[in-house]
PDB file of all heavy atoms in Angstrom:
ATOM      1  N   LEU A  11     -31.598-115.816  21.125  1.00 94.00           N
ATOM      2  CA  LEU A  11     -30.174-115.643  20.761  1.00 94.00           C
ATOM      3  C   LEU A  11     -29.456-115.024  21.891  1.00 94.00           C
ATOM      4  O   LEU A  11     -29.724-113.900  22.328  1.00 94.00           O
ATOM      5  CB  LEU A  11     -30.108-114.671  19.532  1.00 94.00           C
ATOM      6  CG  LEU A  11     -30.698-115.351  18.257  1.00 94.00           C
ATOM      7  CD1 LEU A  11     -30.771-114.286  17.208  1.00 94.00           C
ATOM      8  CD2 LEU A  11     -29.977-116.587  17.793  1.00 94.00           C
ATOM      9  N   PRO A  12     -28.495-115.700  22.518  1.00 95.00           N
ATOM     10  CA  PRO A  12     -27.832-115.221  23.694  1.00 95.00           C
ATOM     11  C   PRO A  12     -26.723-114.242  23.273  1.00 95.00           C
ATOM     12  O   PRO A  12     -26.437-113.992  22.145  1.00 95.00           O
ATOM     13  CB  PRO A  12     -27.152-116.450  24.258  1.00 95.00           C
ATOM     14  CG  PRO A  12     -26.883-117.299  23.060  1.00 95.00           C
ATOM     15  CD  PRO A  12     -28.093-117.119  22.126  1.00 95.00           C
ATOM     16  N   LEU A  13     -26.190-113.542  24.279  1.00 96.00           N
ATOM     17  CA  LEU A  13     -25.078-112.674  24.045  1.00 96.00           C
ATOM     18  C   LEU A  13     -23.905-113.491  23.642  1.00 96.00           C
ATOM     19  O   LEU A  13     -23.529-114.417  24.369  1.00 96.00           O
ATOM     20  CB  LEU A  13     -24.737-111.889  25.303  1.00 96.00           C
ATOM     21  CG  LEU A  13     -23.610-110.866  25.190  1.00 96.00           C
ATOM     22  CD1 LEU A  13     -24.069-109.703  24.352  1.00 96.00           C
ATOM     23  CD2 LEU A  13     -23.188-110.365  26.593  1.00 96.00           C
ATOM     24  N   PRO A  14     -23.293-113.278  22.481  1.00 96.00           N
ATOM     25  CA  PRO A  14     -22.212-114.125  22.023  1.00 96.00           C
ATOM     26  C   PRO A  14     -20.965-113.937  22.905  1.00 96.00           C
ATOM     27  O   PRO A  14     -20.779-112.838  23.582  1.00 96.00           O
ATOM     28  CB  PRO A  14     -21.862-113.636  20.610  1.00 96.00           C
ATOM     29  CG  PRO A  14     -23.078-112.870  20.234  1.00 96.00           C
ATOM     30  CD  PRO A  14     -23.654-112.262  21.420  1.00 96.00           C
ATOM     31  N   GLU A  15     -20.101-114.881  22.953  1.00 95.00           N
ATOM     32  CA  GLU A  15     -18.785-114.793  23.593  1.00 95.00           C
ATOM     33  C   GLU A  15     -17.998-113.756  22.778  1.00 95.00           C
ATOM     34  O   GLU A  15     -18.137-113.564  21.548  1.00 95.00           O
ATOM     35  CB  GLU A  15     -18.080-116.120  23.629  1.00 95.00           C
ATOM     36  CG  GLU A  15     -18.734-117.144  24.456  1.00 95.00           C
ATOM     37  CD  GLU A  15     -18.590-116.968  25.911  1.00 95.00           C
ATOM     38  OE1 GLU A  15     -17.716-116.127  26.332  1.00 95.00           O
ATOM     39  OE2 GLU A  15     -19.358-117.533  26.700  1.00 95.00           O
ATOM     40  N   ALA A  16     -17.124-112.998  23.474  1.00 93.00           N
ATOM     41  CA  ALA A  16     -16.252-112.072  22.762  1.00 93.00           C
ATOM     42  C   ALA A  16     -15.467-112.687  21.621  1.00 93.00           C
ATOM     43  O   ALA A  16     -15.175-111.967  20.654  1.00 93.00           O
ATOM     44  CB  ALA A  16     -15.350-111.373  23.758  1.00 93.00           C
ATOM     45  N   SER A  17     -15.014-113.913  21.848  1.00 94.00           N
ATOM     46  CA  SER A  17     -14.269-114.678  20.856  1.00 94.00           C
ATOM     47  C   SER A  17     -15.072-114.933  19.612  1.00 94.00           C
ATOM     48  O   SER A  17     -14.529-115.272  18.638  1.00 94.00           O
ATOM     49  CB  SER A  17     -13.652-115.856  21.458  1.00 94.00           C
ATOM     50  OG  SER A  17     -14.690-116.777  21.876  1.00 94.00           O
ATOM     51  N   GLY A  18     -16.432-114.865  19.743  1.00 96.00           N
ATOM     52  CA  GLY A  18     -17.263-115.199  18.645  1.00 96.00           C
ATOM     53  C   GLY A  18     -17.693-114.087  17.731  1.00 96.00           C
ATOM     54  O   GLY A  18     -18.415-114.274  16.747  1.00 96.00           O
ATOM     55  N   VAL A  19     -17.145-112.889  17.979  1.00 96.00           N
ATOM     56  CA  VAL A  19     -17.424-111.729  17.234  1.00 96.00           C
ATOM     57  C   VAL A  19     -16.112-111.055  16.801  1.00 96.00           C
ATOM     58  O   VAL A  19     -15.163-111.215  17.439  1.00 96.00           O
ATOM     59  CB  VAL A  19     -18.360-110.719  17.933  1.00 96.00           C
ATOM     60  CG1 VAL A  19     -19.747-111.314  18.137  1.00 96.00           C
ATOM     61  CG2 VAL A  19     -17.734-110.336  19.273  1.00 96.00           C
ATOM     62  N   ALA A  20     -16.196-110.289  15.767  1.00 96.00           N
ATOM     63  CA  ALA A  20     -15.063-109.551  15.193  1.00 96.00           C
ATOM     64  C   ALA A  20     -15.513-108.191  14.720  1.00 96.00           C
ATOM     65  O   ALA A  20     -16.655-108.092  14.122  1.00 96.00           O
ATOM     66  CB  ALA A  20     -14.310-110.269  14.166  1.00 96.00           C
ATOM     67  N   VAL A  21     -14.643-107.182  14.861  1.00 95.00           N
ATOM     68  CA  VAL A  21     -14.935-105.843  14.311  1.00 95.00           C
ATOM     69  C   VAL A  21     -14.067-105.538  13.208  1.00 95.00           C
ATOM     70  O   VAL A  21     -12.844-105.733  13.197  1.00 95.00           O
ATOM     71  CB  VAL A  21     -14.820-104.781  15.418  1.00 95.00           C
ATOM     72  CG1 VAL A  21     -15.290-103.414  14.870  1.00 95.00           C
ATOM     73  CG2 VAL A  21     -15.677-105.098  16.652  1.00 95.00           C
ATOM     74  N   LYS A  22     -14.602-105.125  12.074  1.00 94.00           N
ATOM     75  CA  LYS A  22     -13.833-104.751  10.897  1.00 94.00           C
ATOM     76  C   LYS A  22     -14.201-103.298  10.468  1.00 94.00           C
ATOM     77  O   LYS A  22     -15.397-103.079  10.122  1.00 94.00           O
ATOM     78  CB  LYS A  22     -14.083-105.698   9.766  1.00 94.00           C
ATOM     79  CG  LYS A  22     -13.702-107.135  10.078  1.00 94.00           C
ATOM     80  CD  LYS A  22     -13.749-107.989   8.798  1.00 94.00           C
ATOM     81  CE  LYS A  22     -15.101-108.095   8.263  1.00 94.00           C
ATOM     82  NZ  LYS A  22     -15.204-109.038   7.051  1.00 94.00           N
ATOM     83  N   PHE A  23     -13.254-102.445  10.446  1.00 91.00           N
ATOM     84  CA  PHE A  23     -13.509-101.052   9.956  1.00 91.00           C
ATOM     85  C   PHE A  23     -12.799-100.930   8.484  1.00 91.00           C
ATOM     86  O   PHE A  23     -11.890-101.654   8.168  1.00 91.00           O
ATOM     87  CB  PHE A  23     -12.833-100.027  10.857  1.00 91.00           C
ATOM     88  CG  PHE A  23     -13.672 -99.911  12.120  1.00 91.00           C
ATOM     89  CD1 PHE A  23     -13.144-100.280  13.337  1.00 91.00           C
ATOM     90  CD2 PHE A  23     -15.001 -99.326  12.099  1.00 91.00           C
ATOM     91  CE1 PHE A  23     -13.785-100.188  14.515  1.00 91.00           C
ATOM     92  CE2 PHE A  23     -15.676 -99.201  13.299  1.00 91.00           C
ATOM     93  CZ  PHE A  23     -15.127 -99.654  14.506  1.00 91.00           C
ATOM     94  N   SER A  24     -13.377-100.023   7.777  1.00 88.00           N
ATOM     95  CA  SER A  24     -12.920 -99.932   6.410  1.00 88.00           C
ATOM     96  C   SER A  24     -12.684 -98.405   6.057  1.00 88.00           C
ATOM     97  O   SER A  24     -13.286 -97.540   6.703  1.00 88.00           O
ATOM     98  CB  SER A  24     -13.921-100.437   5.386  1.00 88.00           C
ATOM     99  OG  SER A  24     -15.169 -99.780   5.469  1.00 88.00           O
ATOM    100  N   GLU A  25     -11.789 -98.143   5.153  1.00 79.00           N
ATOM    101  CA  GLU A  25     -11.548 -96.703   4.690  1.00 79.00           C
ATOM    102  C   GLU A  25     -12.452 -96.540   3.468  1.00 79.00           C
ATOM    103  O   GLU A  25     -12.890 -97.499   2.788  1.00 79.00           O
ATOM    104  CB  GLU A  25     -10.129 -96.540   4.344  1.00 79.00           C
ATOM    105  CG  GLU A  25      -9.215 -96.744   5.684  1.00 79.00           C
ATOM    106  CD  GLU A  25      -7.829 -96.382   5.353  1.00 79.00           C
ATOM    107  OE1 GLU A  25      -7.447 -96.021   4.190  1.00 79.00           O
ATOM    108  OE2 GLU A  25      -6.948 -96.530   6.260  1.00 79.00           O
ATOM    109  N   PRO A  26     -12.701 -95.306   2.992  1.00 72.00           N
ATOM    110  CA  PRO A  26     -12.140 -94.084   3.596  1.00 72.00           C
ATOM    111  C   PRO A  26     -12.865 -93.541   4.880  1.00 72.00           C
ATOM    112  O   PRO A  26     -14.062 -93.840   4.993  1.00 72.00           O
ATOM    113  CB  PRO A  26     -12.295 -93.038   2.460  1.00 72.00           C
ATOM    114  CG  PRO A  26     -13.540 -93.517   1.775  1.00 72.00           C
ATOM    115  CD  PRO A  26     -13.512 -95.025   1.843  1.00 72.00           C
ATOM    116  N   VAL A  27     -12.187 -92.818   5.628  1.00 78.00           N
ATOM    117  CA  VAL A  27     -12.688 -92.156   6.788  1.00 78.00           C
ATOM    118  C   VAL A  27     -13.498 -90.965   6.312  1.00 78.00           C
ATOM    119  O   VAL A  27     -13.071 -90.274   5.460  1.00 78.00           O
ATOM    120  CB  VAL A  27     -11.605 -91.772   7.812  1.00 78.00           C
ATOM    121  CG1 VAL A  27     -12.159 -90.938   8.898  1.00 78.00           C
ATOM    122  CG2 VAL A  27     -10.926 -93.091   8.278  1.00 78.00           C
ATOM    123  N   GLN A  28     -14.637 -90.703   6.864  1.00 75.00           N
ATOM    124  CA  GLN A  28     -15.433 -89.534   6.558  1.00 75.00           C
ATOM    125  C   GLN A  28     -15.362 -88.498   7.727  1.00 75.00           C
ATOM    126  O   GLN A  28     -15.139 -88.899   8.846  1.00 75.00           O
ATOM    127  CB  GLN A  28     -16.915 -89.937   6.381  1.00 75.00           C
ATOM    128  CG  GLN A  28     -17.139 -90.921   5.259  1.00 75.00           C
ATOM    129  CD  GLN A  28     -18.581 -91.247   5.089  1.00 75.00           C
ATOM    130  OE1 GLN A  28     -19.422 -90.390   5.025  1.00 75.00           O
ATOM    131  NE2 GLN A  28     -18.861 -92.548   5.024  1.00 75.00           N
ATOM    132  N   HIS A  29     -15.522 -87.269   7.350  1.00 73.00           N
ATOM    133  CA  HIS A  29     -15.600 -86.180   8.310  1.00 73.00           C
ATOM    134  C   HIS A  29     -16.925 -85.501   8.095  1.00 73.00           C
ATOM    135  O   HIS A  29     -17.250 -85.017   7.046  1.00 73.00           O
ATOM    136  CB  HIS A  29     -14.480 -85.189   8.132  1.00 73.00           C
ATOM    137  CG  HIS A  29     -13.072 -85.953   8.191  1.00 73.00           C
ATOM    138  ND1 HIS A  29     -12.564 -86.416   9.335  1.00 73.00           N
ATOM    139  CD2 HIS A  29     -12.148 -86.235   7.149  1.00 73.00           C
ATOM    140  CE1 HIS A  29     -11.362 -86.907   9.075  1.00 73.00           C
ATOM    141  NE2 HIS A  29     -11.166 -86.837   7.746  1.00 73.00           N
ATOM    142  N   GLN A  30     -17.750 -85.455   9.259  1.00 69.00           N
ATOM    143  CA  GLN A  30     -18.991 -84.864   9.191  1.00 69.00           C
ATOM    144  C   GLN A  30     -19.327 -84.140  10.449  1.00 69.00           C
ATOM    145  O   GLN A  30     -19.090 -84.666  11.521  1.00 69.00           O
ATOM    146  CB  GLN A  30     -20.097 -85.891   8.857  1.00 69.00           C
ATOM    147  CG  GLN A  30     -21.459 -85.391   8.739  1.00 69.00           C
ATOM    148  CD  GLN A  30     -22.481 -86.473   8.294  1.00 69.00           C
ATOM    149  OE1 GLN A  30     -22.092 -87.467   7.855  1.00 69.00           O
ATOM    150  NE2 GLN A  30     -23.793 -86.160   8.531  1.00 69.00           N
ATOM    151  N   SER A  31     -19.789 -82.887  10.302  1.00 67.00           N
ATOM    152  CA  SER A  31     -20.231 -82.103  11.462  1.00 67.00           C
ATOM    153  C   SER A  31     -19.157 -81.977  12.515  1.00 67.00           C
ATOM    154  O   SER A  31     -19.458 -82.097  13.720  1.00 67.00           O
ATOM    155  CB  SER A  31     -21.558 -82.650  12.029  1.00 67.00           C
ATOM    156  OG  SER A  31     -22.556 -82.780  11.127  1.00 67.00           O
ATOM    157  N   GLY A  32     -17.944 -81.927  12.128  1.00 71.00           N
ATOM    158  CA  GLY A  32     -16.822 -81.789  13.081  1.00 71.00           C
ATOM    159  C   GLY A  32     -16.443 -83.033  13.790  1.00 71.00           C
ATOM    160  O   GLY A  32     -15.706 -83.044  14.795  1.00 71.00           O
ATOM    161  N   ALA A  33     -16.906 -84.237  13.334  1.00 78.00           N
ATOM    162  CA  ALA A  33     -16.514 -85.502  13.906  1.00 78.00           C
ATOM    163  C   ALA A  33     -15.878 -86.393  12.770  1.00 78.00           C
ATOM    164  O   ALA A  33     -16.083 -86.165  11.615  1.00 78.00           O
ATOM    165  CB  ALA A  33     -17.720 -86.196  14.553  1.00 78.00           C
ATOM    166  N   THR A  34     -15.292 -87.465  13.274  1.00 84.00           N
ATOM    167  CA  THR A  34     -14.713 -88.521  12.327  1.00 84.00           C
ATOM    168  C   THR A  34     -15.709 -89.657  12.330  1.00 84.00           C
ATOM    169  O   THR A  34     -16.087 -90.136  13.387  1.00 84.00           O
ATOM    170  CB  THR A  34     -13.358 -88.879  12.774  1.00 84.00           C
ATOM    171  OG1 THR A  34     -12.514 -87.767  12.739  1.00 84.00           O
ATOM    172  CG2 THR A  34     -12.811 -89.958  11.882  1.00 84.00           C
ATOM    173  N   VAL A  35     -16.021 -90.136  11.140  1.00 87.00           N
ATOM    174  CA  VAL A  35     -16.928 -91.217  11.014  1.00 87.00           C
ATOM    175  C   VAL A  35     -16.258 -92.362  10.283  1.00 87.00           C
ATOM    176  O   VAL A  35     -15.724 -92.161   9.174  1.00 87.00           O
ATOM    177  CB  VAL A  35     -18.201 -90.810  10.172  1.00 87.00           C
ATOM    178  CG1 VAL A  35     -19.193 -91.935  10.253  1.00 87.00           C
ATOM    179  CG2 VAL A  35     -18.936 -89.558  10.888  1.00 87.00           C
ATOM    180  N   VAL A  36     -16.189 -93.618  10.863  1.00 90.00           N
ATOM    181  CA  VAL A  36     -15.606 -94.739  10.260  1.00 90.00           C
ATOM    182  C   VAL A  36     -16.694 -95.791  10.069  1.00 90.00           C
ATOM    183  O   VAL A  36     -17.305 -96.213  10.991  1.00 90.00           O
ATOM    184  CB  VAL A  36     -14.434 -95.259  11.083  1.00 90.00           C
ATOM    185  CG1 VAL A  36     -13.629 -96.339  10.344  1.00 90.00           C
ATOM    186  CG2 VAL A  36     -13.534 -94.129  11.539  1.00 90.00           C
ATOM    187  N   SER A  37     -16.857 -96.245   8.851  1.00 91.00           N
ATOM    188  CA  SER A  37     -17.730 -97.389   8.589  1.00 91.00           C
ATOM    189  C   SER A  37     -17.180 -98.758   8.838  1.00 91.00           C
ATOM    190  O   SER A  37     -15.904 -98.912   8.693  1.00 91.00           O
ATOM    191  CB  SER A  37     -18.259 -97.321   7.153  1.00 91.00           C
ATOM    192  OG  SER A  37     -19.024 -96.158   6.927  1.00 91.00           O
ATOM    193  N   GLY A  38     -17.966 -99.638   9.260  1.00 94.00           N
ATOM    194  CA  GLY A  38     -17.459-100.994   9.457  1.00 94.00           C
ATOM    195  C   GLY A  38     -18.587-102.013   9.640  1.00 94.00           C
ATOM    196  O   GLY A  38     -19.738-101.705   9.430  1.00 94.00           O
ATOM    197  N   VAL A  39     -18.185-103.212  10.156  1.00 94.00           N
ATOM    198  CA  VAL A  39     -19.178-104.159  10.417  1.00 94.00           C
ATOM    199  C   VAL A  39     -18.709-104.955  11.688  1.00 94.00           C
ATOM    200  O   VAL A  39     -17.529-105.011  11.991  1.00 94.00           O
ATOM    201  CB  VAL A  39     -19.336-105.251   9.314  1.00 94.00           C
ATOM    202  CG1 VAL A  39     -19.916-104.585   8.047  1.00 94.00           C
ATOM    203  CG2 VAL A  39     -18.042-105.947   9.003  1.00 94.00           C
ATOM    204  N   VAL A  40     -19.733-105.507  12.435  1.00 96.00           N
ATOM    205  CA  VAL A  40     -19.464-106.516  13.464  1.00 96.00           C
ATOM    206  C   VAL A  40     -19.842-107.864  12.813  1.00 96.00           C
ATOM    207  O   VAL A  40     -20.946-108.021  12.278  1.00 96.00           O
ATOM    208  CB  VAL A  40     -20.227-106.240  14.734  1.00 96.00           C
ATOM    209  CG1 VAL A  40     -20.165-107.421  15.682  1.00 96.00           C
ATOM    210  CG2 VAL A  40     -19.762-104.966  15.379  1.00 96.00           C
ATOM    211  N   VAL A  41     -18.889-108.833  12.908  1.00 96.00           N
ATOM    212  CA  VAL A  41     -19.155-110.130  12.300  1.00 96.00           C
ATOM    213  C   VAL A  41     -19.552-110.999  13.458  1.00 96.00           C
ATOM    214  O   VAL A  41     -18.766-111.183  14.422  1.00 96.00           O
ATOM    215  CB  VAL A  41     -17.908-110.669  11.602  1.00 96.00           C
ATOM    216  CG1 VAL A  41     -18.211-112.022  11.023  1.00 96.00           C
ATOM    217  CG2 VAL A  41     -17.489-109.769  10.488  1.00 96.00           C
ATOM    218  N   ASP A  42     -20.716-111.633  13.375  1.00 96.00           N
ATOM    219  CA  ASP A  42     -21.141-112.646  14.326  1.00 96.00           C
ATOM    220  C   ASP A  42     -20.883-114.043  13.674  1.00 96.00           C
ATOM    221  O   ASP A  42     -21.606-114.461  12.804  1.00 96.00           O
ATOM    222  CB  ASP A  42     -22.581-112.484  14.591  1.00 96.00           C
ATOM    223  CG  ASP A  42     -23.163-113.457  15.729  1.00 96.00           C
ATOM    224  OD1 ASP A  42     -22.554-114.496  15.891  1.00 96.00           O
ATOM    225  OD2 ASP A  42     -24.117-113.104  16.339  1.00 96.00           O
ATOM    226  N   ARG A  43     -19.771-114.660  14.178  1.00 95.00           N
ATOM    227  CA  ARG A  43     -19.358-115.896  13.435  1.00 95.00           C
ATOM    228  C   ARG A  43     -20.332-116.996  13.459  1.00 95.00           C
ATOM    229  O   ARG A  43     -20.573-117.651  12.534  1.00 95.00           O
ATOM    230  CB  ARG A  43     -17.977-116.352  14.057  1.00 95.00           C
ATOM    231  CG  ARG A  43     -16.800-115.367  13.880  1.00 95.00           C
ATOM    232  CD  ARG A  43     -15.433-115.955  14.245  1.00 95.00           C
ATOM    233  NE  ARG A  43     -14.410-114.946  14.130  1.00 95.00           N
ATOM    234  CZ  ARG A  43     -13.918-114.238  15.031  1.00 95.00           C
ATOM    235  NH1 ARG A  43     -14.333-114.319  16.281  1.00 95.00           N
ATOM    236  NH2 ARG A  43     -12.942-113.378  14.779  1.00 95.00           N
ATOM    237  N   ASP A  44     -20.975-117.228  14.628  1.00 93.00           N
ATOM    238  CA  ASP A  44     -21.933-118.327  14.802  1.00 93.00           C
ATOM    239  C   ASP A  44     -23.092-118.143  13.936  1.00 93.00           C
ATOM    240  O   ASP A  44     -23.569-119.125  13.280  1.00 93.00           O
ATOM    241  CB  ASP A  44     -22.276-118.426  16.235  1.00 93.00           C
ATOM    242  CG  ASP A  44     -21.253-119.010  17.180  1.00 93.00           C
ATOM    243  OD1 ASP A  44     -20.289-119.662  16.577  1.00 93.00           O
ATOM    244  OD2 ASP A  44     -21.373-118.926  18.387  1.00 93.00           O
ATOM    245  N   ARG A  45     -23.540-116.877  13.764  1.00 93.00           N
ATOM    246  CA  ARG A  45     -24.715-116.684  12.947  1.00 93.00           C
ATOM    247  C   ARG A  45     -24.434-116.247  11.578  1.00 93.00           C
ATOM    248  O   ARG A  45     -25.317-116.118  10.743  1.00 93.00           O
ATOM    249  CB  ARG A  45     -25.580-115.584  13.539  1.00 93.00           C
ATOM    250  CG  ARG A  45     -26.069-115.901  14.994  1.00 93.00           C
ATOM    251  CD  ARG A  45     -26.613-114.700  15.692  1.00 93.00           C
ATOM    252  NE  ARG A  45     -27.777-114.049  14.941  1.00 93.00           N
ATOM    253  CZ  ARG A  45     -27.882-112.739  14.793  1.00 93.00           C
ATOM    254  NH1 ARG A  45     -27.006-111.922  15.279  1.00 93.00           N
ATOM    255  NH2 ARG A  45     -28.982-112.282  14.140  1.00 93.00           N
ATOM    256  N   ARG A  46     -23.124-116.097  11.189  1.00 93.00           N
ATOM    257  CA  ARG A  46     -22.664-115.795   9.859  1.00 93.00           C
ATOM    258  C   ARG A  46     -23.399-114.481   9.455  1.00 93.00           C
ATOM    259  O   ARG A  46     -23.811-114.371   8.372  1.00 93.00           O
ATOM    260  CB  ARG A  46     -22.893-116.872   8.949  1.00 93.00           C
ATOM    261  CG  ARG A  46     -22.066-118.120   9.197  1.00 93.00           C
ATOM    262  CD  ARG A  46     -22.281-119.141   8.162  1.00 93.00           C
ATOM    263  NE  ARG A  46     -21.553-120.349   8.494  1.00 93.00           N
ATOM    264  CZ  ARG A  46     -21.541-121.456   7.724  1.00 93.00           C
ATOM    265  NH1 ARG A  46     -22.164-121.529   6.591  1.00 93.00           N
ATOM    266  NH2 ARG A  46     -20.810-122.556   8.069  1.00 93.00           N
ATOM    267  N   ARG A  47     -23.368-113.469  10.373  1.00 93.00           N
ATOM    268  CA  ARG A  47     -24.015-112.267  10.136  1.00 93.00           C
ATOM    269  C   ARG A  47     -23.095-111.155  10.267  1.00 93.00           C
ATOM    270  O   ARG A  47     -22.105-111.112  11.012  1.00 93.00           O
ATOM    271  CB  ARG A  47     -25.072-111.972  11.202  1.00 93.00           C
ATOM    272  CG  ARG A  47     -26.323-112.840  11.178  1.00 93.00           C
ATOM    273  CD  ARG A  47     -27.298-112.351  10.242  1.00 93.00           C
ATOM    274  NE  ARG A  47     -28.044-111.241  10.712  1.00 93.00           N
ATOM    275  CZ  ARG A  47     -28.775-110.460   9.926  1.00 93.00           C
ATOM    276  NH1 ARG A  47     -28.819-110.569   8.610  1.00 93.00           N
ATOM    277  NH2 ARG A  47     -29.502-109.436  10.458  1.00 93.00           N
TER     278      ARG A  47
END
């Protein structure tokens, strides 16, 4: 599996934002379009 082109992936973050140990934590996913992952 090669390194995808930048245009073939997308980043999606979701709320709510969490705060833990003095840092901000945001959950999300990276979508690999070709692999539908």
Side-chain angles (χ1 to χ4, degrees):
L11 295 170
L13 183 71
E15 297 287 343
S17 60
V19 294
V21 182
K22 298 189 298 183
F23 288 111
S24 59
E25 295 185 4
V27 172
Q28 300 181 50
H29 303 289
Q30 182 172 341
S31 302
T34 299
V35 186
V36 189
S37 296
V39 295
V40 168
V41 179
D42 185 334
R43 296 189 179 99
D44 287 343
R45 297 167 62 221
R46 298 183 179 180
R47 291 276 284 165

